Amino acid sequence: MALIEKLNAIGDAIRSKTGKEDKLTLEQMVTEIEGIEVGGNDSAAQDIEQVWNGEIVDLAFNIDTIPAYGCYKGRMKTITINSNDISIGSYAFQYSTLLEEVIVNSVSGEVAGSIFSGCTSLKSITWLHESFDKNQNVSDVFCACSALTDVNIPNLSKIGKGWFKDCSSLEKLDTYARHINDNAFLRSAIDTFITRKTDAVATLTSINAFQGTPIESGTGYIYVPKALIEDYKVATNWINFAEQFRAIEDYPEICGGAEND
C-alpha cells in the first residue's frame, strides 16, 4: 500500500470514529487520534485507557471488540487475546513499541489490517488458534516488526498480504499454513521457511512473497515434507524456487525431529 493510501486509510478510520467529515492534515490526524474515546463495554474502555496511560503492562483481552486505534502506541509489554468472535479494528496496536509478546488463544471474528505493524520490540508470537480465514484481505499484520527473528505459528492456516513485510530480523518461520499471499515476506531477512502441510502443496499466490529475501537470492531454503518435494518444485509460483527446496525429514537440526511433523 502506497504512503498516500495509508494516510487516506488512517483519515477514514479517524472520521469513522469521530463522525467528522473534514479532510485532515497530518498534524490534525495526531490531534484527533489523541482525542478519540474508546468504545465497547466499560471494562474494555477502562483497559484501553490504562494501556494508553502505561498502567497495564500485561494485557489480557476477554472482550468482543478492540476498536480501530484502540491501543495505538500503547505501552504494554504483553498481549493475550482470549475471546471468540472478537473484532479487531485497523491499527489497533500499531506502534506499541514496548510490546514484546503476543499470545492469540482465540480469534475468529472480523480483523482489520496493520494491527501489530511497527511494534519494533515484538519478539514472540504464540498463535494457538486457526484464524483469519474469513478475513481474506487482512494485510501487514506484523509489518516492520524488526525484533522478530524466529516465528512458529502451527495453528495459523493463512499468511496474508505483507504480514511479515520489512521484518528485517526475521530469519525463520515454521508453519502449517495452506495459503501464502502476496508480499508475505517482502524485504525480510527470512532464509528458512518451513511449511509442514502434508496433504497437498500450499498455495503461493505470487513469487513476490519472498521478494528481497535470501530465499529469492538463492541463499535461503524452503523446507517441505519429503513426499511433496517434487510437487513443490513444479507447482505454480513455487517453481521459481525449485533449487531452494529441501526435505524436512533430512534436516532435523533445522526443522526438528519427527515429533514436529
Side-chain angles (χ1 to χ4, degrees):
M1 183 182 290
L3 177 59
I4 188 64
E5 293 175 329
K6 291 183 179 180
L7 291 174
N8 286 334
I10 293 171
D12 290 342
I14 293 171
R15 284 187 286 271
S16 71
K17 293 295 293 181
T18 63
K20 298 178 181 179
E21 298 182 357
D22 297 338
K23 292 185 178 180
L24 301 170
T25 66
L26 288 175
E27 291 78 9
Q28 289 170 330
M29 285 183 184
V30 173
T31 300
E32 292 291 343
I33 289 170
E34 290 174 344
I36 289 175
E37 294 183 4
V38 296
N41 59 47
D42 292 341
S43 175
Q46 183 178 10
D47 281 352
I48 294 171
E49 184 66 27
Q50 288 177 308
V51 164
W52 276 10
N53 293 334
E55 297 168 13
I56 292 182
V57 175
D58 301 306
L59 180 63
F61 275 114
N62 296 287
I63 57 177
D64 59 7
T65 301
I66 302 171
Y69 297 97
C71 296
Y72 178 85
K73 291 187 176 180
R75 300 178 185 178
M76 61 285 172
K77 289 188 176 181
T78 69
I79 293 173
T80 303
I81 299 175
N82 297 313
S83 301
N84 280 316
D85 297 318
I86 192 170
S87 294
I88 304 177
S90 301
Y91 313 102
F93 304 101
Q94 188 181 45
Y95 298 134
S96 296
T97 56
L98 300 180
L99 181 62
E100 296 179 358
E101 182 179 20
V102 171
I103 301 172
V104 179
N105 290 316
S106 186
V107 175
S108 56
E110 296 298 323
V111 180
S114 302
I115 55 176
F116 294 108
S117 62
C119 294
T120 53
S121 296
L122 184 59
K123 299 175 183 177
S124 175
I125 303 167
T126 303
W127 212 288
L128 301 176
H129 188 273
E130 185 173 298
S131 57
F132 285 100
D133 284 345
K134 66 173 69 173
N135 302 279
Q136 295 298 312
N137 296 315
V138 176
S139 62
D140 298 342
V141 174
F142 300 104
C143 175
C145 290
S146 55
L148 283 175
T149 58
D150 186 339
V151 176
N152 188 328
I153 45 176
N155 292 298
L156 194 62
S157 62
K158 172 191 153 187
I159 299 172
K161 293 181 180 179
W163 272 31
F164 295 95
K165 179 174 65 179
D166 294 319
C167 289
S168 56
S169 298
L170 179 63
E171 297 178 350
K172 180 179 180 180
L173 189 136
D174 194 335
T175 183
Y176 283 80
R178 299 190 297 267
H179 192 104
I180 297 94
N181 220 320
D182 300 1
N183 299 322
F185 302 99
L186 179 67
R187 295 186 298 270
S188 75
I190 191 164
D191 61 14
T192 302
F193 179 72
I194 304 169
T195 176
R196 298 180 185 272
K197 177 177 162 57
T198 59
D199 58 336
V201 171
T203 299
L204 182 67
T205 61
S206 172
I207 62 172
N208 68 20
F210 294 100
Q211 185 176 341
T213 71
I215 289 175
E216 181 193 48
S217 66
T219 59
Y221 299 96
I222 302 167
Y223 298 85
V224 302
K226 183 177 289 187
L228 293 174
I229 194 167
E230 297 304 321
D231 294 333
Y232 268 99
K233 289 180 179 180
V234 297
T236 301
N237 293 322
W238 291 114
I239 192 173
N240 294 274
F241 308 103
E243 299 302 316
Q244 307 312 118
F245 284 102
R246 301 290 185 270
I248 289 173
E249 295 87 339
D250 293 340
Y251 293 87
E253 71 281 7
I254 295 172
C255 303
E259 69 274 8
N260 291 326
D261 297 341

